[in-house]
Structures are given as C-alpha cells and as structure tokens.
Amino acid sequence: MSIEVKEIEGYPIMIYRKDGKTYTWLAGCPHKRRPILEKGVEIFDDKIKCPFHYAVFSLITGEMLKEPESKTSCGSNCRLIQVKITDKLEFSGEPFIPTLPSKKG
C-alpha cells in the first residue's frame, strides 16, 4: 500500500493502488485546502489522515470518515476530490492548489 504523487497541469495528484485498481485524488485536504501529504500524514487501512486537523478520508471512495479536529467544520459534502486523468484532467469537485498556512510574525 503506497501513494505515488505526480504534478499534472499544476495540480498535485495522489495515485493509490490496491488489488489491481487505481484511485486518483487531488493531494489536498478539502477542509482548509492544505497539502494532505505533508510531514505527519498517516496512511493506514485504505485511509489517509490529514496532518493538519486530523480529518480521515477513504482512499477508495474519497468520503470523510472522521471530522477534522477544528472549530471550522468541513461540511456535509466534504470529501477528497477525485481526478480522472485522460487527455485533460477531470475533477469530481472544484479543484484547488493546496497551500501551507501562512506564518505570522
């Protein structure tokens, strides 16, 4: 179980393979649009845990399995954005470029 990351058309795409199937997702947490594969990320049992607010998502379906530990909710439709790679990228939701939080001071 591993994740490969490719940049395609400026978007970081994570590619998860299991049992001969491939699942492709935007490599960003939809909660606060952070890069989900940053230091501290946990990948286990077909799940990925965001290192920022600890939301957990399925790498098979994209659904949120655990709400983020944050004052800001992720919303009822919060899920990973699926990416279909053909001659152009097709996203299941509104794509974004994940960014790190700005440092204050």
Side-chain angles (χ1 to χ4, degrees):
M1 170 170 48
S2 66
I3 291 186
E4 177 186 353
V5 182
K6 290 185 176 183
E7 186 170 309
I8 304 173
E9 296 179 20
Y11 293 100
I13 308 299
M14 55 184 178
I15 302 164
Y16 180 69
R17 291 183 177 87
K18 181 176 181 181
D19 298 332
K21 294 184 180 176
T22 301
Y23 306 90
T24 50
W25 308 100
L26 180 67
C29 180
H31 172 235
K32 293 246 181 169
R33 298 182 169 210
R34 303 285 183 238
I36 202 165
L37 295 173
E38 282 295 306
K39 183 178 179 181
V41 66
E42 292 180 40
I43 299 168
F44 57 97
D45 301 329
D46 300 325
K47 299 175 186 83
I48 188 165
K49 182 178 189 180
C50 180
F52 293 96
H53 294 102
Y54 314 115
V56 177
F57 299 90
S58 167
L59 287 165
I60 305 298
T61 66
E63 73 181 302
M64 181 176 57
L65 303 172
K66 180 185 169 290
E67 288 274 342
E69 295 174 17
S70 171
K71 293 177 187 173
T72 309
S73 83
C74 197
S76 60
N77 288 336
C78 189
R79 58 186 305 115
L80 295 176
I81 295 176
Q82 188 173 29
V83 182
K84 195 174 188 182
I85 303 170
T86 57
D87 52 335
K88 65 176 189 158
L89 295 181
E90 295 177 38
F91 298 93
S92 66
E94 184 180 332
F96 59 90
I97 304 292
T99 58
L100 291 171
S102 60
K103 301 207 182 209
K104 297 187 179 175

